[in-house]
Amino acid sequence: METENKDWNRISAYLSGQLTDQEKNDFHSWIDSADYNQQMFREARALWNHSTIRHSMPQDETEQGWADFISKRDEKPAVNLWTTPWLRIAASITLLVGLLYIVNMFRHQSIELVAGNTVGTFYLPDSSVAWLNTGAKLRYSDNFNSGVREVTLEGEGFFKVKPNKEKPFIVSSENASIRVLGTSFNVSTKSENTVVSVAEGIVSVHGDGKDSVILVEGDEAVVTREGSVSQGKITDPGFSSWRLQNNPVATRERDHPELYLSSTAEWKKNLVNMSVIEGVIHNTSSLVTFEKVVIKVTYLKTRGEQDVFRITMEEKVGPGQQVNYQKRLLDILTMTKLEKVEIESAVAAD
Amino acid sequence: MQEPENRDFEKIFKEHYKSLCDFAYNLLQDRDLAKDTVQEVFLKLWKNRDNLEMGTSIRSYLFKATSHTALNHLRFSKKIIRMDEEGFNAMSSPSGTEEIGFKELELKIRASIDRLPPKCKVIYLLSRHEGLKYQEIADTLDISLKTVENQMGIALEKLRNDLKPFLTPEFLSVMIFIGYLIYTYLK
């Protein structure tokens, strides 16, 4: 592990342009020396190149800022209270308590995700996805991914939990505690009760008392304020449809399928010398299923002329899923080379 | 005596306020905290206006002070990551081109950057977004060069762990292929 740290240091120094020419040569030899090094470098470079997003303030508030500054600058300084002994003692005690508080903060920082007036889509440190309905809050500690994956929920959230048998995922609301290993479920704490609805997988729900139930896909549990748990079938099949409404991410995904579909393809000649393209379409969106994906393939023929054909996928591709495609050309006499593959269009499935 | 000083200061304030707020916001993601940070920086500048050395560039002083103050705020406050329509639409990517399937990866990477430990995050952003050399980062934050080296390594490693599922060789080969197309086009 010690050597791995040095590797990451070296890679990051290279990517940020810190290395001298000699060091760069050494670095290139290091990459060439092992496939694993190459892979590490490729991944790091992809991360570096795609770290482009900047947050910026929505409005220019310079005039207001100047006004605020003037009022702060011209504030009368407070009377010096340090001279009285009582205040000094009080101050020392406060300082001590403050120090203890700060020391405690250093141990674990708490992260709070808040959905404002739209649905929020958040990726947790273990790559699980949490959708928070408007006004909902999710809290977790920065040691989230070390042992147990614990979050605290206020409001309504839908979780798609990454499977990990060694690290149970626990959602705590005011009256209930929900424990999963890897699955998709909805937790609503809108009324005084907590309602848990399972979309996929197995979940165990505990109330404050000794009550607990195990739910599978299609089941629902209600935990009352007093902590008692009851179980039944899901009554409202649209229990997680809130994720699609008032959700800027979903809107973007629906309106720009081309941003969320990527394709990889292999081009070869088969045994009877027909050109064959075999590819995979990945849907990298969080919520939207696409269908009628049209792939445009451009290729070169023997004398360098370009030709184009399209493949229309009838199959739907769900969020996070992929689908294969294949096509053969009846061109046993020509030599061909793939030029490019593009996603021309797609439609959001309802 | 007061008047011209006031006017000069006002000029400096208005010239740099927005860019410093954006810079602080990129680090803190909290509008009020970003504004408070910049206010603190200017108040300090105001108090020390007679002591500033002639040679220092105001911009570089303000930039350093903002990094410092923001880092302190990051360390001692509960991290609040807000996702609402305004913040979402205000995110920008300098690469004007919309590359297929990339936007989502960039969003995920940004989410991961925002989860880095405070010092690590600031160092990574100063390097990646502001293009500072390691020594400049060390000077800006009053830390050692070694710390900067280590933190940069930690940043990349954490990002990679967070995003492992999205960095499959297939996915990467698309990016390299399209990157190659762009490269040949630009040549």
Side-chain angles (χ1 to χ4, degrees):
Chain A
M1 281 300 111
E2 172 60 38
T3 45
E4 270 232 4
N5 291 345
K6 286 215 149 44
D7 290 340
W8 286 113
N9 287 1
R10 204 179 347 199
I11 294 176
S12 55
Y14 176 83
L15 291 170
S16 55
Q18 289 294 137
L19 300 183
T20 62
D21 286 334
Q22 176 59 46
E23 288 169 329
K24 274 193 223 169
N25 287 336
D26 293 339
F27 184 73
H28 289 138
S29 327
W30 175 78
I31 294 188
D32 289 336
S33 64
D35 271 347
Y36 183 67
N37 297 347
Q38 264 180 49
Q39 190 191 348
M40 261 175 98
F41 174 66
R42 263 207 299 262
E43 293 176 349
R45 186 178 52 187
L47 291 163
W48 180 262
N49 288 341
H50 292 283
S51 300
T52 58
I53 292 184
R54 273 179 194 265
H55 294 301
S56 54
M57 305 265 280
Q59 288 143 331
D60 186 350
E61 293 166 351
T62 305
E63 287 308 320
Q64 183 60 46
W66 176 248
D68 291 340
F69 173 75
I70 296 279
S71 64
K72 283 203 190 100
R73 182 194 67 182
D74 295 339
E75 244 170 29
K76 295 256 178 276
V79 173
N80 193 343
L81 298 172
W82 289 104
T83 45
T84 63
W86 280 120
L87 274 148
R88 266 196 240 137
I89 293 168
S92 326
I93 296 176
T94 317
L95 195 66
L96 197 66
V97 172
L99 277 171
L100 288 171
Y101 181 66
I102 288 172
V103 166
N104 195 45
M105 282 214 105
F106 267 122
R107 302 197 305 123
H108 288 302
Q109 212 165 17
S110 162
I111 298 161
E112 191 177 80
L113 307 173
V114 180
N117 38 21
T118 56
V119 169
T121 310
F122 301 94
Y123 295 94
L124 299 179
D126 66 338
S127 298
S128 296
V129 191
W131 286 267
L132 296 183
N133 208 341
T134 56
K137 293 189 187 169
L138 192 71
R139 236 162 296 153
Y140 61 94
S141 168
D142 64 2
N143 64 349
F144 171 83
N145 212 10
S146 48
V148 173
R149 300 174 282 170
E150 245 188 289
V151 303
T152 308
L153 173 72
E154 238 175 77
E156 179 165 24
F158 186 99
F159 300 88
K160 186 163 140 186
V161 176
K162 207 114 193 120
N164 188 334
K165 291 205 184 79
E166 272 108 59
K167 298 181 186 171
F169 191 97
I170 301 181
V171 182
S172 303
S173 70
E174 205 176 306
N175 24 351
S177 149
I178 301 127
R179 192 185 169 99
V180 297
L181 295 169
T183 185
S184 301
F185 58 100
N186 199 72
V187 181
S188 169
T189 63
K190 268 182 297 190
S191 51
E192 280 177 350
N193 304 330
T194 299
V195 181
V196 183
S197 320
V198 181
E200 203 187 302
I202 303 178
V203 148
S204 74
V205 180
H206 303 254
D208 273 345
K210 291 231 184 114
D211 272 11
S212 84
V213 294
I214 302 217
L215 304 179
V216 299
E217 196 173 312
D219 286 347
E220 197 173 74
V222 179
V223 185
T224 64
R225 204 161 43 136
E226 293 78 43
S228 62
V229 186
S230 60
Q231 175 185 12
K233 286 280 170 216
I234 293 179
T235 43
D236 171 19
F239 66 91
S240 69
S241 62
W242 56 266
R243 293 184 299 161
L244 289 163
Q245 295 148 11
N246 196 14
N247 182 346
V249 174
T251 308
R252 229 162 63 109
E253 289 172 358
R254 252 188 251 124
D255 293 343
H256 297 281
E258 71 284 357
L259 292 179
Y260 299 92
L261 288 167
S262 67
S263 163
T264 58
E266 224 179 80
W267 181 273
K268 59 180 192 242
K269 284 279 185 182
N270 65 9
L271 293 171
V272 292
N273 210 42
M274 292 194 241
S275 302
V276 178
I277 183 170
E278 275 175 2
V280 183
I281 302 221
H282 293 265
N283 178 351
T284 58
S285 77
S286 64
L287 273 183
V288 176
T289 301
F290 297 116
E291 59 183 355
K292 302 204 177 68
V293 183
V294 176
I295 306 160
K296 180 173 156 189
V297 182
T298 310
Y299 69 104
L300 298 174
K301 297 208 283 222
T302 323
R303 268 166 303 187
E305 332 101 81
Q306 246 190 26
D307 201 355
V308 164
F309 65 88
R310 288 172 172 77
I311 302 174
T312 305
M313 309 276 311
E314 283 308 325
E315 258 172 280
K316 295 190 190 181
V317 198
Q321 305 202 306
Q322 61 191 57
V323 79
N324 297 341
Y325 64 87
Q326 198 197 62
K327 189 166 171 94
R328 262 183 319 197
L329 301 182
L330 299 172
D331 59 347
I332 47 186
L333 295 176
T334 41
M335 295 201 305
T336 56
K337 198 169 97 145
L338 177 65
E339 176 122 312
K340 69 178 163 195
V341 174
E342 300 162 281
I343 309 282
E344 194 173 67
S345 66
V347 165
D350 276 325
Chain B
M1 247 291 262
Q2 275 286 339
E3 271 295 322
E5 208 173 40
N6 216 356
R7 248 185 286 136
D8 280 338
F9 199 87
E10 182 172 350
K11 194 161 143 247
I12 292 173
F13 186 97
K14 290 188 175 171
E15 192 180 320
H16 292 105
Y17 186 74
K18 173 133 192 10
S19 63
L20 288 175
C21 280
D22 282 344
F23 173 62
Y25 187 72
N26 194 30
L27 299 176
L28 299 164
Q29 266 171 290
D30 180 331
R31 253 194 293 172
D32 292 327
L33 201 52
K35 286 191 277 188
D36 284 347
T37 301
V38 179
Q39 291 283 341
E40 266 179 63
V41 166
F42 276 108
L43 279 167
K44 191 143 181 235
L45 177 63
W46 177 258
K47 288 201 180 101
N48 291 328
R49 66 193 181 279
D50 297 324
N51 300 338
L52 271 192
E53 289 161 19
M54 266 298 115
T56 21
S57 133
I58 287 281
R59 162 133 182 83
S60 116
Y61 168 84
L62 290 173
F63 186 81
K64 261 194 183 185
T66 307
S67 309
H68 230 129
T69 314
L71 181 56
N72 284 341
H73 278 294
L74 258 185
R75 278 188 173 131
F76 294 104
S77 65
K78 214 157 67 151
K79 279 207 278 198
I80 297 186
I81 304 174
R82 247 166 228 290
M83 290 280 250
D84 55 40
E85 184 100 48
E86 263 182 34
F88 197 79
N89 290 337
M91 282 197 248
S92 59
S93 179
S95 68
T97 53
E98 303 265 293
E99 295 147 334
I100 299 171
F102 289 0
K103 261 300 164 65
E104 199 55 24
L105 178 62
E106 287 174 350
L107 284 171
K108 291 186 169 103
I109 291 178
R110 180 69 220 207
S112 184
I113 291 174
D114 288 324
R115 279 195 295 256
L116 290 172
K119 191 163 64 177
C120 189
K121 172 179 170 177
V122 173
I123 291 173
Y124 185 75
L125 290 178
L126 284 178
S127 173
R128 179 61 178 87
H129 285 182
E130 308 303 323
L132 295 190
K133 297 271 173 226
Y134 282 9
Q135 189 58 57
E136 292 171 312
I137 298 176
D139 291 338
T140 301
L141 298 175
D142 266 334
I143 52 184
S144 73
L145 192 61
K146 201 76 186 104
T147 304
V148 177
E149 282 172 16
N150 288 338
Q151 290 297 313
M152 286 294 286
I154 290 173
L156 270 185
E157 187 180 3
K158 278 190 192 268
L159 292 181
R160 195 267 221 139
N161 289 341
D162 271 3
L163 286 140
K164 226 157 159 182
F166 307 103
L167 295 171
T168 58
E170 293 171 316
F171 203 70
L172 276 182
S173 66
V174 182
M175 295 196 278
I176 291 170
F177 180 57
I178 294 189
Y180 173 68
L181 286 177
I182 293 172
Y183 173 68
T184 47
Y185 173 70
L186 287 173
K187 255 204 312 190

